[in-house]
Amino acid sequence: QARVDLDTVLVEQAKKVAESAAGTLKAAIAKVSQAKADVGRFTAEVERWQSEVKRLTGLVQQNVVDKQALGESTRQLKSNESARDAAVSAVAVAEAQRLASDADLAKAKVDIQAAETRVVVSKAEERRLAALVGYLKLTAPFAGIITIRNANTGDYVAASSGDQSAPTNSP
């Protein structure tokens, strides 16, 4: 009975783990969305600084703007390109974490099924052991004390009219 109770608690525990895995999956999906949004933001920044560098290059060639302003814009462009590349990598990492969370959720669901099956097995084992305990008590149609048991489960026991050859075969 204690084993059945334990296995029932393990089913509840597996369900809680599955709920936690579902929450982790939702968080991983949100991280993927956030990483993709960051890529979009840094891509826009790169486009902005590319335009600025192109504009300043023309102005430097006309000697309207100092080369130092062009250099600063070029560094800003490179910085944003690096940030965009990092954001693209972050999308890949977030996607991998989402896949791992998805796999954890699938495993948690299988663990629930395994725990539920263990409960069924434990209940069957409980019934089997209860039947064995039932063999400890023998009831007879008459009063008395049993001192020996000569018949076992599976033994062939003849009726009282019995085997006609028994008297000739017994000593």
Side-chain angles (χ1 to χ4, degrees), residues 27-88:
I29 290 170
K31 279 187 177 183
V32 169
S33 296
Q34 180 183 9
K36 287 181 179 179
D38 287 345
V39 168
R41 181 171 54 100
F42 286 120
T43 300
E45 286 290 321
V46 166
E47 290 171 0
R48 177 201 179 277
W49 285 105
Q50 284 174 339
S51 171
E52 185 70 15
V53 167
K54 184 178 178 181
R55 184 180 69 79
L56 288 175
T57 301
L59 292 175
V60 166
Q61 290 172 353
Q62 297 172 1
N63 290 326
V64 175
V65 176
D66 189 26
K67 288 184 180 183
Q68 191 174 13
L70 175 61
E72 182 62 34
S73 293
T74 304
R75 283 189 293 280
Q76 194 68 29
L77 172 62
K78 288 181 181 179
S79 172
N80 281 300
E81 285 174 339
S82 295
R84 179 195 59 200
D85 294 343
V88 168

Side-chain angles (χ1 to χ4, degrees), residues 74-114:
T74 304
R75 283 189 293 280
Q76 194 68 29
L77 172 62
K78 288 181 181 179
S79 172
N80 281 300
E81 285 174 339
S82 295
R84 179 195 59 200
D85 294 343
V88 168
S89 296
V91 168
V93 169
E95 188 64 33
Q97 288 174 339
R98 186 199 61 79
L99 289 173
S101 296
D102 197 25
D104 288 343
L105 178 59
K107 182 192 177 300
K109 287 179 179 179
V110 169
D111 287 346
I112 290 171
Q113 291 175 340

Side-chain angles (χ1 to χ4, degrees), residues 85-169:
D85 294 343
V88 168
S89 296
V91 168
V93 169
E95 188 64 33
Q97 288 174 339
R98 186 199 61 79
L99 289 173
S101 296
D102 197 25
D104 288 343
L105 178 59
K107 182 192 177 300
K109 287 179 179 179
V110 169
D111 287 346
I112 290 171
Q113 291 175 340
E116 289 172 341
T117 303
R118 272 195 303 271
V119 169
V120 172
V121 170
S122 294
K123 286 180 179 178
E125 181 68 7
E126 179 187 22
R127 287 190 303 272
R128 184 185 75 80
L129 292 174
L132 288 176
V133 168
Y135 288 129
L136 295 175
K137 183 176 181 182
L138 298 175
T139 50
F142 49 87
I145 298 174
I146 297 175
T147 58
I148 191 167
R149 179 178 172 175
N150 291 325
N152 295 309
T153 303
D155 286 350
Y156 176 74
V157 179
S160 60
S161 58
D163 184 5
Q164 300 301 324
S165 64
T168 58
N169 290 338

